[in-house]
Amino acid sequence: MQKKLNKIAKDTNFFLKKFIVRQKKSDLIVAMKYGLFSGGKKIRSKILVDIGSIFKLDYKTLISIGAAVECIHAYSLIHDDLPCMDDDTIRRGKPSAHIKFGEATAVLAGNSLLTMAFEILSHNNLRIHEKIKIDLINKISESSGHLGIAGGQYLDLSYERKKVSFKRIVDMEIKKTGKLFSFCCAAPLIIKRKNKKDIKKFEDIGADIGLLFQVADDLIDYKGSLIAAGKKTGKDKKKGKATLISLLGYKNTIKYAKDLIFKINIELKKYGSKSENLSETLNYILNRNK
Ligand code: GRG
């Protein structure tokens, strides 16, 4: 699994480096590259490739779309660490972008990474039909805005030090983290022009994968170490974050995560051996330490 993930990370980084080299230079590029290449598992690209291979999609196309997703992901991490958000000084074992470059540069580099995602998806070199490109851009925009990552982040901040119900925590985590995974799961079906019902089914699978990912992230914060995680741990408790661990406790949260994997695997059963890579990725997500 790690070998496959490393290859996808290498190919995604190669695509992004080539894409950036072809553009005119700017003073923000150094901070943007820091957000993109200072580590990072590229797990969202892996999910895209796993689902794409079920539907026999071209690997290079999947890497290009994954690169756009990783731009949005990198943007969200840079902004997440800002003093006005989670105020974190370490990310991926290195100083957060605003510590290294200053707040204004971090904000602008983040914004530029968001728009780069749209440049990648609308680029002539991405050899898919124009209408499909519009559908992909529409879906990724929806996943990133007030009904997705930004909206989820707003809820995450506003729930601090409050008693929050299970339903609201799950809704917040699906928006903050799940929506980008939903995009990764739906994109291959959008490209294959599948019907709305099937696309929705894969968006729901993506939401569950994102929830699983966020729960695993919360477990790392609860039990993990700075060295392994590459970021400070034990922050959620200190900040009074509303997480499933704070509501259900550690053991029940692990059970909840395992049940999620069981539920997703049942959904994937009809794809037989073609879904084995994805099932392997799900186990990796829960058992990772960073
Ligand atoms: C609208 C895109 C956008 C952002 C603004 C700041 C913000 C609103 C949203 C933050 C969302 C966020 C950071 C969610 C947490 C998701 C999460 C668990 C990130 C960790 O992802 P990994 O482990 O990171 O894949 P690596 O380092 O491997 O890339």
Side-chain angles (χ1 to χ4, degrees), residues 257-271:
K258 286 185 178 163
D259 289 348
L260 267 176
I261 294 186
F262 186 74
K263 181 183 163 202
I264 301 164
N265 280 330
I266 285 178
E267 292 288 338
L268 295 172
K269 222 174 174 179
K270 83 176 226 211
Y271 299 97

Side-chain angles (χ1 to χ4, degrees), residues 168-187:
R168 281 175 194 257
I169 294 177
V170 167
D171 173 64
M172 175 266 287
E173 298 203 333
I174 285 180
K175 284 184 174 141
K176 185 177 78 158
T177 310
K179 287 290 176 176
L180 207 50
F181 282 90
S182 284
F183 173 80
C184 295
C185 291

